[in-house]
Amino acid sequence: MTTFQALPLPQELLENLHSLGYEKPTPIQAQTIPLLQANKDLIAQAKTGSGKTLAFLLPLILKLDAQEHFPQALIIAPTRELCEQIAGEANKLARYKKDVKVITLYGGTSLRTQVASLEKGADILIGTPGRLLDHFSRETIHLGQIKTLILDEADRMLDMGFADDILKLVSNLPKERQSILFSATYPENIDKLTKVILKNPTEVKIASKEKEVAIEEFVYKVEEKDKALLTTIKHFQPNLALIFCNTKVKTAEVSDMLHDKGFDVATLNGDLEQYERQEMLLQFANGSLPVLVATDLAARGLDIEGIDLVINYDVPMKTEDYTHRIGRTGRADKSGLAVTLCDAYGLRKLGEIKPELNTQNIASLTPNKNFYMQGEVATLRIDGGKKKKVRAGDILGTLCKDIGIENKDIGKINVYQKNAYVAIKKTVIKKAFNGLKNGKIKGKNLRVWWLD
Ligand code: ADP
Ligand code: MG
């Protein structure tokens, strides 16, 4: 199969896929979509970045029944970030249908807010195991009409010790349902989930050869890691760099160090509030903070376009973590670079988890002293979003027509329930900031914040 046209999909959906830039299905999509449309239970394994999200969302969205009042699909995923990402993709894919409601449920945001949005009704629930169970025991979610169950990143959920929570949740779902499990790797203990949850599942596995050529991997033996990190960045000169550390404390230290050296840096770790994590990721993705220093929280599932360099400042503890970390680059068939920095301890660790990698001398790199990573844009947060009916076009209109900012100086616009964010070239951001502060969007006076 070479195009989406070859699948029995409605014309409006095909047009929507086209407008989203999806022209032909990836191998995992080509193989699983027909099976899922035939209502089969499925275990699917494919490397990260192979398009698994669309593979399970597309048949699901087609299947939704507009007449149904209760949630029809439950998607369980390991992290808040991944839930948001899946929800974003679901909303985009469902644009052609009227009134598809997607709700995300994860910890770190108030239960009460979530209950309030649940009360308005939902078609698709996307959540982490713990929070879903929480809602279930409080009887704030209704699972009696769930027709499709999807476990995304099942390997990761097992790693995080969610198996029991998942099994408990699933035991409360209707027996008549389609169950689907997606995973990047296929650990042995996965039987724990598959045996109980799936009925005569079809297994689809896409070999991961092509992927490995897309990411070039380098390992450097180093004495001082901070210095080596700077050398690496200044040699490879990436557009967007993701740096992994093993601990929260280390992410803060490395961020501070890079900041002191003149880099625009975002930090992501489990100490941050949910909204802070979202803002960090957003500023990284829109280029305001082109370096992200993170724990393994950012290693799974996250799909940010254009990450061209992943650096392991610390050697990860497990082979899977290594695979997932470097899988953040080389997404959607673009090539990527992964560098691992090893001190004496790191070398021993790497010998255990990736013995096949060769080590090189960092002295072979030729750093450009004058290379820095600074955002050409910065981000403004507007205290108004979908709830106040603010759309990207309204913000663009105010900026261009009322304030006189040129279209070419305006970057990504992201609109959420309560807030909206817009990236603006630093050369004109002051003008944009003052203009928005004193002006109106859709006739409303909204508060504006300049993030840095
Ligand atoms: P996985 O879950 O397998 O790690 P994702 O579902 O996150 O991968 O997809 C990786 C990237 O590929 C995303 O940016 C997604 O938008 C893009 N993508 C998915 N399907 C297609 C397609 N058919 N054509 C082009 N890009 C696609
Ligand atoms: Mg995924």
Side-chain angles (χ1 to χ4, degrees):
M1 185 201 318
T2 49
T3 62
F4 283 113
Q5 261 85 15
L7 291 167
L9 302 173
Q11 189 57 30
E12 310 89 77
L13 175 59
L14 288 172
E15 279 164 20
N16 190 27
L17 286 171
H18 177 73
S19 78
L20 292 168
Y22 301 145
E23 300 300 345
K24 57 176 206 241
T26 64
I28 189 78
Q29 291 163 3
Q31 289 210 25
T32 57
I33 291 173
L35 290 167
L36 293 174
Q37 284 190 287
N39 221 23
K40 292 259 188 290
D41 276 15
L42 181 77
I43 301 177
Q45 186 201 342
K47 62 197 178 181
T48 51
S50 56
K52 294 193 285 296
T53 321
L54 186 91
F56 64 73
L57 284 177
L58 205 137
L60 169 62
I61 285 165
L62 281 168
K63 202 165 107 171
L64 290 178
D65 177 358
Q67 308 301 321
E68 182 58 73
H69 295 298
F70 291 112
Q72 303 168 56
L74 177 65
I75 303 178
I76 313 181
T79 63
R80 310 154 185 204
E81 282 76 11
L82 192 56
C83 290
E84 281 303 329
Q85 203 167 289
I86 298 168
E89 195 72 20
N91 280 320
K92 281 197 287 182
L93 286 174
R95 269 198 314 223
Y96 79 98
K97 268 194 167 178
K98 270 214 178 71
D99 293 332
V100 172
K101 277 205 60 191
V102 180
I103 289 188
T104 52
L105 301 167
Y106 42 72
T109 26
S110 98
L111 272 165
R112 203 143 38 102
T113 320
Q114 292 176 349
V115 172
S117 53
L118 282 166
E119 276 165 0
K120 292 194 205 118
D123 300 297
I124 305 177
L125 302 177
I126 307 175
T128 53
R131 182 53 67 105
L132 284 168
L133 206 53
D134 215 0
H135 277 290
F136 181 74
S137 52
R138 286 162 197 264
E139 301 185 4
T140 45
I141 46 176
H142 181 99
L143 300 179
Q145 301 302 320
I146 297 287
K147 289 171 197 71
T148 313
L149 166 70
I150 296 165
L151 305 181
D152 193 21
E153 308 251 347
D155 48 348
R156 169 71 160 161
M157 295 203 280
L158 282 169
D159 270 2
M160 292 171 77
F162 287 150
D164 291 341
D165 282 357
I166 294 172
L167 290 172
K168 211 181 283 175
L169 262 170
V170 172
S171 68
N172 290 291
L173 296 180
K175 299 272 169 301
E176 274 303 306
R177 59 162 200 265
Q178 183 182 28
S179 306
I180 305 162
L181 183 147
F182 274 81
S183 202
T185 57
Y186 200 75
E188 276 170 28
N189 60 346
I190 205 149
D191 283 355
K192 204 170 165 181
L193 295 180
T194 53
K195 286 224 175 84
V196 184
I197 296 177
L198 300 143
K199 257 189 265 165
N200 302 325
T202 308
E203 291 187 31
V204 173
K205 185 177 166 176
I206 306 283
S208 59
K209 283 208 196 77
E210 325 94 77
K211 180 66 177 190
E212 275 137 31
V213 285
I215 302 177
E216 257 192 291
E217 299 165 65
F218 296 96
V219 178
Y220 295 107
K221 209 158 88 181
V222 311
E223 311 239 302
E224 290 171 72
K225 283 210 240 172
D226 284 355
K227 202 170 138 210
L229 177 62
L230 290 167
T231 303
T232 304
I233 295 174
K234 289 175 183 247
H235 172 86
F236 289 107
Q237 306 189 17
N239 293 313
L240 279 187
L242 174 53
I243 301 169
F244 282 105
C245 302
N246 287 356
T247 63
K248 295 186 252 188
V249 173
K250 205 67 200 170
T251 57
E253 284 173 15
V254 171
S255 291
D256 286 348
M257 187 276 293
L258 288 172
H259 185 82
D260 289 346
K261 297 281 180 197
F263 288 76
D264 289 338
V265 193
T267 317
L268 186 81
N269 63 45
D271 278 347
L272 300 180
E273 299 281 344
Q274 178 53 27
Y275 82 92
E276 292 174 309
R277 291 195 199 177
Q278 190 175 324
E279 285 190 351
M280 285 292 176
L281 282 176
L282 184 136
Q283 290 179 89
F284 176 56
N286 76 13
S288 298
L289 302 175
V291 185
L292 176 65
V293 185
T295 57
D296 281 291
L297 199 61
R300 304 266 182 152
L302 270 199
D303 180 45
I304 291 180
E305 214 180 307
I307 300 177
D308 43 1
L309 176 62
V310 168
I311 301 176
N312 289 312
Y313 181 94
D314 294 319
V315 177
M317 304 309 282
K318 287 191 277 176
T319 315
E320 291 107 275
D321 293 335
Y322 180 90
T323 309
H324 285 288
R325 284 182 180 189
I326 75 167
R328 297 313 102 206
T329 182
R331 309 282 291 166
D333 285 336
K334 291 204 187 79
S335 63
L337 272 174
V339 169
T340 303
L341 305 176
C342 295
D343 55 13
Y345 170 79
L347 275 179
R348 275 203 305 279
K349 191 79 236 169
L350 195 76
E352 287 164 23
I353 67 158
K354 288 296 278 186
E356 68 274 27
L357 292 178
N358 292 321
T359 313
Q360 302 182 29
N361 194 332
I362 190 132
S364 62
L365 297 185
T366 50
N368 171 359
K369 275 204 198 75
N370 300 319
F371 178 79
Y372 290 96
M373 296 181 73
Q374 288 167 343
E376 239 184 87
V377 294
T379 304
L380 300 179
R381 180 180 72 219
I382 298 161
D383 281 359
K386 288 184 189 157
K387 278 212 173 132
K388 294 196 174 149
K389 306 244 180 301
V390 172
R391 288 167 315 157
D394 305 323
I395 299 170
L396 203 60
T398 305
L399 284 166
C400 294
K401 289 195 207 102
D402 303 355
I403 309 175
I405 304 288
E406 284 181 69
N407 206 4
K408 68 168 177 47
D409 294 330
I410 303 172
K412 275 194 193 147
I413 300 179
N414 301 72
V415 183
Y416 298 99
Q417 286 303 319
K418 288 187 186 156
N419 296 311
Y421 298 84
V422 52
I424 309 242
K425 282 256 174 72
K426 283 177 178 167
T427 44
V428 297
I429 191 160
K430 203 161 181 182
K431 180 172 167 190
F433 177 65
N434 287 326
L436 287 176
K437 220 167 54 174
N438 301 317
K440 286 190 161 112
I441 296 172
K442 250 198 163 167
K444 290 186 204 77
N445 220 310
L446 300 173
R447 290 218 289 175
V448 184
W449 307 82
W450 186 339
L451 307 183
D452 64 341

